[in-house]
Structure formats: structure tokens, C-alpha cells
Amino acid sequence: MSVCGPLDDPRSQLVELEAEICRVEALLSKLIHRRVPIKRNINRRCSLMLSLPVELCSDIFTLSCSSTGSDSPLLLGQVCSAWRKLAWSMPWLWTNIHLCSTRPREVHVQLLEEWIARSEKLPLSIHLKIRLGSPDVNMRDVTHIMDAVARCSRRWCTVNFDVPFFYPTDSYMSNLGPTNFPMLTSATIEVKHFYTPLDMFVGAPSLQSVHLVGFPRNSFELSWHNITSLRLNPTTIQQCLEVLNVAQNLVSCVFENITRSDVLDPTPVVAPNLQYLEIISFAHTPISELLDTLFLPSAIDLSFHTTGNTFPHWSFISLVVRSNCTLRHLTLNAVRLTEWQLWDCLCEVPSLVVLQIIDLQRITKDTIRVLNPLNQSMLGPQHTAPLLPFLKEFTYIGAIELDFCIVANTAHARWTGSGVMKLEKMKLETSAPAVFGPEEMAHLARLRALSEEGMGIELTTRDGAWI
């Protein structure tokens, strides 16, 4: 057995070393505490921000939060205690609430409640997105988040909810009565599972803009005379007609995912104030039943994105003529119609200022050629005026092989020709490759010259952007 002397005993050395460590740690802690007030004193004396008047600092914080992300107030509070105290005392910094989570937790509830409390009594803009990305999510936390939001419903100004469900028996539903939304102006609600009719907004006196996703027909009720902007997904032809019939003050309307034709009463429907109508349908739903029934005297912007059946161009023409509207914008996206049918439609809307053609499979370079006011004879002897004389913006996105000679001639004639408005913007984007030779390079140079003169030209092929 070996015996260690007092000087080389490792146990006593360890004791001494640990004692020294404790002494140094205590000294370090004391020094750190002494450093805090010194740094604060330096911040007060040397920080340009803190030397400014409180009112000016407040304006700077407000501009910072309005131009950056939704968590800006929290970032400001991380700089120093003085910034945190100032940010925490400005309720208008906390009126925009953004919460996005796939695993809601109690910490989200606490943060949400603190954020809402700091906003005091100001109107709130709330963006809530909850996606259940894991089976072990505690549904009580989801309900608690909804409870916290529902308790301040009288201060809702703008809400955007993407949530899994609305359960009629959940506690938060008691705070969502028809009289609890005096400030609400805009509501977007998307649900994955529908369990209760949505009628809580019937008594919202200021609600004008509504976007509903996941609510089937007859599952919601609104104060229709107040609504000026509406987007529904899904919907049916009959529901579209019913909505347009009761919402007489609608200015903008989008019907998305029209699932079926179920027209019960083909009585004509007049939408006297509707200016913008967008129809999106990927099913084999005959939208002609919708177009044939409508009168849109105030329409200035129509957009169609339909891929199921052939586009009812005669119904479109009939709608425009019957409504006697002055159409300014037209977008045709992936609709099925021939080139001649497209030209027939364009001939009936000479007031067009903006035309967008996207992914039309049967369109050729002749459509770009016919837009040249010098080629009006392509439309037939009965047409003596240029096509679309007021056109200022033209967009084509598709797969045709661009002929740079045709593009340059049309652009030049639209820029300098008489009898038509000056074409200010032309965007051509194709997935086809460009074919280049000496002549094509000369026409490209003409287009670049027009761009330098002020015409907005974007020219992109499979090979990349040329202008």
C-alpha cells in the first residue's frame, strides 16, 4: 500500500483547486454584476438613439415595425432594457399579430396573451395559421390559442385564420357571437374540417371583405348588403348566382373551385356594382350557365382560369354585349378555345387597356401579328378598325416559338402608329427556344431601341431573358 505525503496528495490538491474555482467564480459573478450598471450608463450617455426625445424614438420604432417583420417589437426589446421599456409602452406596435405553428404549445398561448395585453384597447390585425403536423399535438393548446384570440374579438379589425376546425362546443365559440365584431372590416377564414355553420359575422356592421375556404354551400351567412369584396372556395354555379343576387354592393368577386352545375332557376341576375370578377375552375363545370345569366353593367376587369370544358366564348361575348360594360382588363389563363374564338372575343372588347394571355394551347404567333394595327385585314373584310385600339399593356406567357420580326413590327407599330394608343408594356415569355440569325439580331436591336425610348419590354425564351 502506497502512502501519499501531504504535498503530493491528489485529494487535497483537488480540494484546493475547487476552492480556488469557487473563489474565481464568485469574483467573476461580482464583476459581471458591476458591469451591468456601467454598460447602462454608457448606453444612456453615448447611445444616439436614447439621446433623442421619446416622441422621436417612438416614431423610429413605429417605422421600423411597419417596414420589417411581424416580430419586430420583440427584436427591439432584445437590444437593451431601455429599448424594451419603450417598446413595451407603445401599444400600437403590438396591433399586428402573426402566429404560425404546426405544433401549438403552451408557450404560444402565453406569448399570444402577453402580445394582446400590450396592444391595450387598439384595433387588431390577426394572422393565425395552425397546421397539425404531429399526432402528439395537445388539442387543448389549440383551443387555448383560439380562446385567447376570441376574447379580444371586439377589437378585431382584420383577421386571417387558417385553422383545422371550428367546433360548436368549444369554449371560444361563446365569445364569437354576432354582436362581438364592431371593428371588423376584413375576414379570411380557411378550415380543413367543417363542423358548425358560420353565422357569427351576420352582425358585423363594418365587415366588407370576406374570403372563405372550406365552407360548403349554405354553411355560412353574412350581412350581404355590406359586402364589397368576396372570395369563395369551393362553390357551385347556383351559389354564385345566389350570392351575386343578394350582394348588390359587391365590387370585387372571386369564385374559385366551382365544383358543379346545379342551376335551379335561370332567372337573370344583375350585379350593378361589380367591377372585378374572377372565375377559377378545374372541373368539368359548364360556366356558360353562369355567364348566360349575368348582367354586369359596371364590369371593367374579368379573369378566367378554367381548364375543364371548352371556354364558352359565345357566352362571354353575349355577356359583354348584354351588359354594355366598358371592359378595361381581361385575363385568359389556360382556357380552351381556338385562335379565331380568341379573336372574336377581343373584337367585342375594343375598350381593353390590359390583356393577359397565359398558357393558351391553341394560340400561335398570329395572335401577336394580329395586334399590329397594320394587319387588321387578318380579321376579315368587315373589320375596318385596328384590334384593341386602346391597349397599353400586353402579356403573353406560353409555349409558342416567337418570331422576332413579328414581335418587332407589332411593338413598333403600337409604339409609333396612328389610330391606336401607345403600347406602354409588352411582356412575352415562352418555354420555346429562340432561333437566331442575322435578321433576328437586327429585329432584337429594334426592340432594344424601343426599350431605350421608354417602352417597357420583357422578352424571355427558354434560353433566358433577352430584354
mmCIF file of all heavy atoms in Angstrom, residues 121-158:
data_model
loop_
_atom_site.group_PDB
_atom_site.id
_atom_site.type_symbol
_atom_site.label_atom_id
_atom_site.label_comp_id
_atom_site.label_asym_id
_atom_site.label_seq_id
_atom_site.Cartn_x
_atom_site.Cartn_y
_atom_site.Cartn_z
ATOM 1 N N LYS A 121 -56.203 48.640 -25.946
ATOM 2 C CA LYS A 121 -57.560 48.614 -26.491
ATOM 3 C C LYS A 121 -57.608 48.972 -27.974
ATOM 4 O O LYS A 121 -58.679 49.287 -28.503
ATOM 5 C CB LYS A 121 -58.457 49.569 -25.705
ATOM 6 C CG LYS A 121 -58.619 49.195 -24.241
ATOM 7 C CD LYS A 121 -59.559 50.157 -23.530
ATOM 8 C CE LYS A 121 -59.739 49.767 -22.070
ATOM 9 N NZ LYS A 121 -60.680 50.679 -21.366
ATOM 10 N N LEU A 122 -56.480 48.893 -28.672
ATOM 11 C CA LEU A 122 -56.428 49.290 -30.078
ATOM 12 C C LEU A 122 -56.983 48.178 -30.980
ATOM 13 O O LEU A 122 -56.972 47.002 -30.621
ATOM 14 C CB LEU A 122 -54.991 49.614 -30.470
ATOM 15 C CG LEU A 122 -54.360 50.828 -29.787
ATOM 16 C CD1 LEU A 122 -52.930 51.026 -30.274
ATOM 17 C CD2 LEU A 122 -55.186 52.083 -30.030
ATOM 18 N N PRO A 123 -57.453 48.528 -32.196
ATOM 19 C CA PRO A 123 -57.901 47.510 -33.162
ATOM 20 C C PRO A 123 -56.758 46.581 -33.547
ATOM 21 O O PRO A 123 -55.597 47.005 -33.651
ATOM 22 C CB PRO A 123 -58.381 48.339 -34.353
ATOM 23 C CG PRO A 123 -58.672 49.699 -33.802
ATOM 24 C CD PRO A 123 -57.696 49.895 -32.676
ATOM 25 N N LEU A 124 -57.088 45.313 -33.789
ATOM 26 C CA LEU A 124 -56.080 44.285 -34.020
ATOM 27 C C LEU A 124 -56.179 43.711 -35.433
ATOM 28 O O LEU A 124 -57.272 43.546 -35.980
ATOM 29 C CB LEU A 124 -56.243 43.142 -33.025
ATOM 30 C CG LEU A 124 -56.052 43.486 -31.553
ATOM 31 C CD1 LEU A 124 -56.397 42.277 -30.686
ATOM 32 C CD2 LEU A 124 -54.628 43.944 -31.280
ATOM 33 N N SER A 125 -55.015 43.407 -35.988
ATOM 34 C CA SER A 125 -54.910 42.645 -37.224
ATOM 35 C C SER A 125 -54.270 41.306 -36.864
ATOM 36 O O SER A 125 -53.108 41.274 -36.427
ATOM 37 C CB SER A 125 -54.066 43.395 -38.261
ATOM 38 O OG SER A 125 -53.886 42.626 -39.421
ATOM 39 N N ILE A 126 -55.007 40.207 -37.048
ATOM 40 C CA ILE A 126 -54.569 38.901 -36.553
ATOM 41 C C ILE A 126 -54.414 37.930 -37.715
ATOM 42 O O ILE A 126 -55.346 37.734 -38.509
ATOM 43 C CB ILE A 126 -55.577 38.340 -35.537
ATOM 44 C CG1 ILE A 126 -55.795 39.332 -34.401
ATOM 45 C CG2 ILE A 126 -55.100 37.003 -34.993
ATOM 46 C CD1 ILE A 126 -56.860 38.898 -33.401
ATOM 47 N N HIS A 127 -53.235 37.327 -37.813
ATOM 48 C CA HIS A 127 -52.951 36.298 -38.811
ATOM 49 C C HIS A 127 -52.586 35.026 -38.055
ATOM 50 O O HIS A 127 -51.528 34.946 -37.433
ATOM 51 C CB HIS A 127 -51.809 36.727 -39.733
ATOM 52 C CG HIS A 127 -52.119 37.957 -40.521
ATOM 53 N ND1 HIS A 127 -52.542 37.924 -41.827
ATOM 54 C CD2 HIS A 127 -52.082 39.265 -40.176
ATOM 55 C CE1 HIS A 127 -52.746 39.155 -42.258
ATOM 56 N NE2 HIS A 127 -52.473 39.986 -41.276
ATOM 57 N N LEU A 128 -53.471 34.057 -38.103
ATOM 58 C CA LEU A 128 -53.309 32.833 -37.327
ATOM 59 C C LEU A 128 -53.315 31.631 -38.266
ATOM 60 O O LEU A 128 -54.283 31.410 -38.998
ATOM 61 C CB LEU A 128 -54.455 32.728 -36.314
ATOM 62 C CG LEU A 128 -54.440 31.546 -35.348
ATOM 63 C CD1 LEU A 128 -53.223 31.612 -34.448
ATOM 64 C CD2 LEU A 128 -55.719 31.538 -34.509
ATOM 65 N N LYS A 129 -52.223 30.875 -38.260
ATOM 66 C CA LYS A 129 -52.120 29.693 -39.114
ATOM 67 C C LYS A 129 -51.683 28.516 -38.250
ATOM 68 O O LYS A 129 -50.555 28.494 -37.747
ATOM 69 C CB LYS A 129 -51.125 29.919 -40.253
ATOM 70 C CG LYS A 129 -51.048 28.756 -41.233
ATOM 71 C CD LYS A 129 -50.156 29.089 -42.424
ATOM 72 C CE LYS A 129 -50.128 27.969 -43.442
ATOM 73 N NZ LYS A 129 -49.296 28.300 -44.624
ATOM 74 N N ILE A 130 -52.578 27.558 -38.082
ATOM 75 C CA ILE A 130 -52.291 26.378 -37.270
ATOM 76 C C ILE A 130 -52.468 25.146 -38.136
ATOM 77 O O ILE A 130 -53.570 24.861 -38.618
ATOM 78 C CB ILE A 130 -53.218 26.308 -36.044
ATOM 79 C CG1 ILE A 130 -53.024 27.538 -35.159
ATOM 80 C CG2 ILE A 130 -52.951 25.041 -35.253
ATOM 81 C CD1 ILE A 130 -53.937 27.564 -33.961
ATOM 82 N N ARG A 131 -51.400 24.448 -38.371
ATOM 83 C CA ARG A 131 -51.426 23.174 -39.098
ATOM 84 C C ARG A 131 -50.929 22.085 -38.164
ATOM 85 O O ARG A 131 -49.833 22.200 -37.602
ATOM 86 C CB ARG A 131 -50.536 23.250 -40.341
ATOM 87 C CG ARG A 131 -51.028 24.252 -41.386
ATOM 88 C CD ARG A 131 -52.283 23.777 -42.063
ATOM 89 N NE ARG A 131 -52.804 24.720 -43.035
ATOM 90 C CZ ARG A 131 -52.431 24.795 -44.298
ATOM 91 N NH1 ARG A 131 -51.480 23.987 -44.751
ATOM 92 N NH2 ARG A 131 -52.981 25.663 -45.123
ATOM 93 N N LEU A 132 -51.727 21.059 -37.986
ATOM 94 C CA LEU A 132 -51.367 19.993 -37.061
ATOM 95 C C LEU A 132 -50.407 19.037 -37.747
ATOM 96 O O LEU A 132 -50.815 18.137 -38.467
ATOM 97 C CB LEU A 132 -52.627 19.271 -36.586
ATOM 98 C CG LEU A 132 -53.684 20.183 -35.941
ATOM 99 C CD1 LEU A 132 -54.865 19.359 -35.442
ATOM 100 C CD2 LEU A 132 -53.077 20.992 -34.814
ATOM 101 N N GLY A 133 -49.095 19.252 -37.509
ATOM 102 C CA GLY A 133 -48.090 18.462 -38.188
ATOM 103 C C GLY A 133 -47.644 17.239 -37.435
ATOM 104 O O GLY A 133 -46.764 16.517 -37.892
ATOM 105 N N SER A 134 -48.224 17.001 -36.266
ATOM 106 C CA SER A 134 -47.792 15.854 -35.461
ATOM 107 C C SER A 134 -48.993 15.287 -34.711
ATOM 108 O O SER A 134 -49.843 16.033 -34.216
ATOM 109 C CB SER A 134 -46.705 16.289 -34.469
ATOM 110 O OG SER A 134 -46.359 15.227 -33.609
ATOM 111 N N PRO A 135 -49.081 13.960 -34.602
ATOM 112 C CA PRO A 135 -50.227 13.351 -33.899
ATOM 113 C C PRO A 135 -50.211 13.585 -32.401
ATOM 114 O O PRO A 135 -51.228 13.388 -31.737
ATOM 115 C CB PRO A 135 -50.085 11.863 -34.224
ATOM 116 C CG PRO A 135 -48.629 11.666 -34.546
ATOM 117 C CD PRO A 135 -48.189 12.946 -35.194
ATOM 118 N N ASP A 136 -49.054 14.001 -31.827
ATOM 119 C CA ASP A 136 -48.982 14.201 -30.385
ATOM 120 C C ASP A 136 -49.313 15.626 -29.966
ATOM 121 O O ASP A 136 -49.079 16.022 -28.826
ATOM 122 C CB ASP A 136 -47.592 13.824 -29.869
ATOM 123 C CG ASP A 136 -46.506 14.711 -30.460
ATOM 124 O OD1 ASP A 136 -46.758 15.362 -31.489
ATOM 125 O OD2 ASP A 136 -45.399 14.743 -29.883
ATOM 126 N N VAL A 137 -49.885 16.432 -30.868
ATOM 127 C CA VAL A 137 -50.265 17.792 -30.526
ATOM 128 C C VAL A 137 -51.397 17.760 -29.504
ATOM 129 O O VAL A 137 -52.375 17.016 -29.663
ATOM 130 C CB VAL A 137 -50.700 18.571 -31.789
ATOM 131 C CG1 VAL A 137 -51.292 19.923 -31.406
ATOM 132 C CG2 VAL A 137 -49.517 18.761 -32.724
ATOM 133 N N ASN A 138 -51.264 18.565 -28.466
ATOM 134 C CA ASN A 138 -52.301 18.664 -27.456
ATOM 135 C C ASN A 138 -53.393 19.602 -27.966
ATOM 136 O O ASN A 138 -53.176 20.799 -28.133
ATOM 137 C CB ASN A 138 -51.712 19.217 -26.149
ATOM 138 C CG ASN A 138 -52.690 19.102 -24.990
ATOM 139 O OD1 ASN A 138 -53.908 19.112 -25.177
ATOM 140 N ND2 ASN A 138 -52.148 19.011 -23.788
ATOM 141 N N MET A 139 -54.578 19.058 -28.232
ATOM 142 C CA MET A 139 -55.650 19.854 -28.793
ATOM 143 C C MET A 139 -56.122 20.948 -27.841
ATOM 144 O O MET A 139 -56.713 21.934 -28.260
ATOM 145 C CB MET A 139 -56.830 18.952 -29.172
ATOM 146 C CG MET A 139 -56.480 17.891 -30.212
ATOM 147 S SD MET A 139 -55.662 18.581 -31.684
ATOM 148 C CE MET A 139 -56.950 19.634 -32.311
ATOM 149 N N ARG A 140 -55.849 20.785 -26.542
ATOM 150 C CA ARG A 140 -56.210 21.834 -25.596
ATOM 151 C C ARG A 140 -55.421 23.106 -25.857
ATOM 152 O O ARG A 140 -55.941 24.210 -25.668
ATOM 153 C CB ARG A 140 -55.976 21.349 -24.164
ATOM 154 C CG ARG A 140 -57.010 20.346 -23.664
ATOM 155 C CD ARG A 140 -56.709 19.897 -22.258
ATOM 156 N NE ARG A 140 -55.416 19.214 -22.170
ATOM 157 C CZ ARG A 140 -54.886 18.751 -21.049
ATOM 158 N NH1 ARG A 140 -55.556 18.885 -19.913
ATOM 159 N NH2 ARG A 140 -53.721 18.148 -21.046
ATOM 160 N N ASP A 141 -54.161 22.961 -26.308
ATOM 161 C CA ASP A 141 -53.367 24.146 -26.624
ATOM 162 C C ASP A 141 -53.941 24.881 -27.831
ATOM 163 O O ASP A 141 -53.926 26.115 -27.884
ATOM 164 C CB ASP A 141 -51.913 23.752 -26.887
ATOM 165 C CG ASP A 141 -51.205 23.258 -25.632
ATOM 166 O OD1 ASP A 141 -51.579 23.722 -24.542
ATOM 167 O OD2 ASP A 141 -50.299 22.419 -25.750
ATOM 168 N N VAL A 142 -54.439 24.111 -28.812
ATOM 169 C CA VAL A 142 -55.097 24.743 -29.963
ATOM 170 C C VAL A 142 -56.324 25.522 -29.497
ATOM 171 O O VAL A 142 -56.540 26.679 -29.889
ATOM 172 C CB VAL A 142 -55.497 23.683 -31.009
ATOM 173 C CG1 VAL A 142 -56.231 24.335 -32.174
ATOM 174 C CG2 VAL A 142 -54.271 22.927 -31.511
ATOM 175 N N THR A 143 -57.122 24.909 -28.639
ATOM 176 C CA THR A 143 -58.320 25.574 -28.129
ATOM 177 C C THR A 143 -57.953 26.805 -27.312
ATOM 178 O O THR A 143 -58.625 27.843 -27.390
ATOM 179 C CB THR A 143 -59.140 24.600 -27.269
ATOM 180 O OG1 THR A 143 -59.500 23.463 -28.062
ATOM 181 C CG2 THR A 143 -60.399 25.259 -26.746
ATOM 182 N N HIS A 144 -56.882 26.719 -26.504
ATOM 183 C CA HIS A 144 -56.467 27.863 -25.691
ATOM 184 C C HIS A 144 -56.013 29.028 -26.564
ATOM 185 O O HIS A 144 -56.249 30.198 -26.223
ATOM 186 C CB HIS A 144 -55.355 27.439 -24.741
ATOM 187 C CG HIS A 144 -55.812 26.511 -23.659
ATOM 188 N ND1 HIS A 144 -54.935 25.741 -22.911
ATOM 189 C CD2 HIS A 144 -57.057 26.216 -23.207
ATOM 190 C CE1 HIS A 144 -55.619 25.023 -22.047
ATOM 191 N NE2 HIS A 144 -56.904 25.286 -22.207
ATOM 192 N N ILE A 145 -55.351 28.729 -27.686
ATOM 193 C CA ILE A 145 -54.971 29.798 -28.616
ATOM 194 C C ILE A 145 -56.225 30.464 -29.173
ATOM 195 O O ILE A 145 -56.317 31.704 -29.232
ATOM 196 C CB ILE A 145 -54.100 29.225 -29.748
ATOM 197 C CG1 ILE A 145 -52.709 28.851 -29.217
ATOM 198 C CG2 ILE A 145 -53.969 30.238 -30.895
ATOM 199 C CD1 ILE A 145 -51.812 28.197 -30.244
ATOM 200 N N MET A 146 -57.187 29.666 -29.590
ATOM 201 C CA MET A 146 -58.429 30.219 -30.108
ATOM 202 C C MET A 146 -59.164 31.005 -29.028
ATOM 203 O O MET A 146 -59.788 32.044 -29.305
ATOM 204 C CB MET A 146 -59.308 29.095 -30.650
ATOM 205 C CG MET A 146 -58.710 28.343 -31.831
ATOM 206 S SD MET A 146 -58.405 29.405 -33.255
ATOM 207 C CE MET A 146 -60.077 29.897 -33.686
ATOM 208 N N ASP A 147 -59.109 30.532 -27.775
ATOM 209 C CA ASP A 147 -59.731 31.270 -26.670
ATOM 210 C C ASP A 147 -59.118 32.659 -26.523
ATOM 211 O O ASP A 147 -59.835 33.654 -26.367
ATOM 212 C CB ASP A 147 -59.559 30.504 -25.356
ATOM 213 C CG ASP A 147 -60.541 29.353 -25.207
ATOM 214 O OD1 ASP A 147 -61.599 29.410 -25.855
ATOM 215 O OD2 ASP A 147 -60.249 28.413 -24.453
ATOM 216 N N ALA A 148 -57.772 32.714 -26.550
ATOM 217 C CA ALA A 148 -57.089 33.997 -26.371
ATOM 218 C C ALA A 148 -57.464 34.977 -27.481
ATOM 219 O O ALA A 148 -57.667 36.170 -27.231
ATOM 220 C CB ALA A 148 -55.573 33.778 -26.344
ATOM 221 N N VAL A 149 -57.575 34.466 -28.716
ATOM 222 C CA VAL A 149 -57.944 35.326 -29.836
ATOM 223 C C VAL A 149 -59.410 35.739 -29.738
ATOM 224 O O VAL A 149 -59.765 36.899 -29.998
ATOM 225 C CB VAL A 149 -57.665 34.599 -31.165
ATOM 226 C CG1 VAL A 149 -58.232 35.386 -32.328
ATOM 227 C CG2 VAL A 149 -56.167 34.386 -31.352
ATOM 228 N N ALA A 150 -60.264 34.811 -29.355
ATOM 229 C CA ALA A 150 -61.702 35.094 -29.305
ATOM 230 C C ALA A 150 -62.038 36.116 -28.227
ATOM 231 O O ALA A 150 -62.977 36.907 -28.391
ATOM 232 C CB ALA A 150 -62.482 33.801 -29.068
ATOM 233 N N ARG A 151 -61.282 36.130 -27.124
ATOM 234 C CA ARG A 151 -61.592 37.053 -26.037
ATOM 235 C C ARG A 151 -61.420 38.514 -26.439
ATOM 236 O O ARG A 151 -61.985 39.403 -25.787
ATOM 237 C CB ARG A 151 -60.723 36.733 -24.816
ATOM 238 C CG ARG A 151 -61.198 35.517 -24.029
ATOM 239 C CD ARG A 151 -60.533 35.455 -22.669
ATOM 240 N NE ARG A 151 -59.100 35.232 -22.765
ATOM 241 C CZ ARG A 151 -58.528 34.023 -22.786
ATOM 242 N NH1 ARG A 151 -59.297 32.932 -22.712
ATOM 243 N NH2 ARG A 151 -57.220 33.895 -22.871
ATOM 244 N N CYS A 152 -60.648 38.767 -27.488
ATOM 245 C CA CYS A 152 -60.461 40.154 -27.936
ATOM 246 C C CYS A 152 -61.209 40.403 -29.245
ATOM 247 O O CYS A 152 -60.843 41.294 -30.018
ATOM 248 C CB CYS A 152 -58.976 40.472 -28.095
ATOM 249 S SG CYS A 152 -58.108 39.464 -29.321
ATOM 250 N N SER A 153 -62.260 39.643 -29.512
ATOM 251 C CA SER A 153 -62.967 39.738 -30.792
ATOM 252 C C SER A 153 -63.573 41.120 -31.030
ATOM 253 O O SER A 153 -63.740 41.533 -32.179
ATOM 254 C CB SER A 153 -64.061 38.674 -30.877
ATOM 255 O OG SER A 153 -65.046 38.883 -29.873
ATOM 256 N N ARG A 154 -63.883 41.843 -29.982
ATOM 257 C CA ARG A 154 -64.452 43.176 -30.161
ATOM 258 C C ARG A 154 -63.424 44.153 -30.708
ATOM 259 O O ARG A 154 -63.783 45.263 -31.130
ATOM 260 C CB ARG A 154 -65.023 43.696 -28.843
ATOM 261 C CG ARG A 154 -66.198 42.877 -28.324
ATOM 262 C CD ARG A 154 -66.886 43.561 -27.151
ATOM 263 N NE ARG A 154 -67.484 44.821 -27.558
ATOM 264 C CZ ARG A 154 -68.678 44.945 -28.136
ATOM 265 N NH1 ARG A 154 -69.404 43.857 -28.395
ATOM 266 N NH2 ARG A 154 -69.148 46.117 -28.458
ATOM 267 N N ARG A 155 -62.154 43.751 -30.705
ATOM 268 C CA ARG A 155 -61.099 44.618 -31.261
ATOM 269 C C ARG A 155 -60.568 44.101 -32.593
ATOM 270 O O ARG A 155 -59.628 44.670 -33.140
ATOM 271 C CB ARG A 155 -59.952 44.751 -30.251
ATOM 272 C CG ARG A 155 -60.350 45.489 -28.994
ATOM 273 C CD ARG A 155 -59.141 45.950 -28.221
ATOM 274 N NE ARG A 155 -58.444 44.889 -27.530
ATOM 275 C CZ ARG A 155 -57.127 44.674 -27.600
ATOM 276 N NH1 ARG A 155 -56.379 45.421 -28.376
ATOM 277 N NH2 ARG A 155 -56.566 43.694 -26.917
ATOM 278 N N TRP A 156 -61.147 43.028 -33.119
ATOM 279 C CA TRP A 156 -60.710 42.535 -34.428
ATOM 280 C C TRP A 156 -60.982 43.595 -35.493
ATOM 281 O O TRP A 156 -62.096 44.106 -35.614
ATOM 282 C CB TRP A 156 -61.474 41.273 -34.801
ATOM 283 C CG TRP A 156 -61.127 40.056 -34.013
ATOM 284 C CD1 TRP A 156 -60.256 39.969 -32.973
ATOM 285 C CD2 TRP A 156 -61.669 38.744 -34.193
ATOM 286 N NE1 TRP A 156 -60.209 38.688 -32.497
ATOM 287 C CE2 TRP A 156 -61.067 37.908 -33.226
ATOM 288 C CE3 TRP A 156 -62.596 38.205 -35.063
ATOM 289 C CZ2 TRP A 156 -61.373 36.560 -33.120
ATOM 290 C CZ3 TRP A 156 -62.905 36.860 -34.963
ATOM 291 C CH2 TRP A 156 -62.301 36.051 -34.002
ATOM 292 N N CYS A 157 -59.970 43.891 -36.286
ATOM 293 C CA CYS A 157 -60.137 44.765 -37.441
ATOM 294 C C CYS A 157 -59.956 43.955 -38.729
ATOM 295 O O CYS A 157 -60.786 44.012 -39.633
ATOM 296 C CB CYS A 157 -59.142 45.921 -37.389
ATOM 297 S SG CYS A 157 -59.267 47.069 -38.760
ATOM 298 N N THR A 158 -58.865 43.201 -38.773
ATOM 299 C CA THR A 158 -58.591 42.298 -39.893
ATOM 300 C C THR A 158 -58.183 40.950 -39.319
ATOM 301 O O THR A 158 -57.300 40.888 -38.457
ATOM 302 C CB THR A 158 -57.460 42.842 -40.780
ATOM 303 O OG1 THR A 158 -57.825 44.117 -41.298
ATOM 304 C CG2 THR A 158 -57.180 41.906 -41.942
#
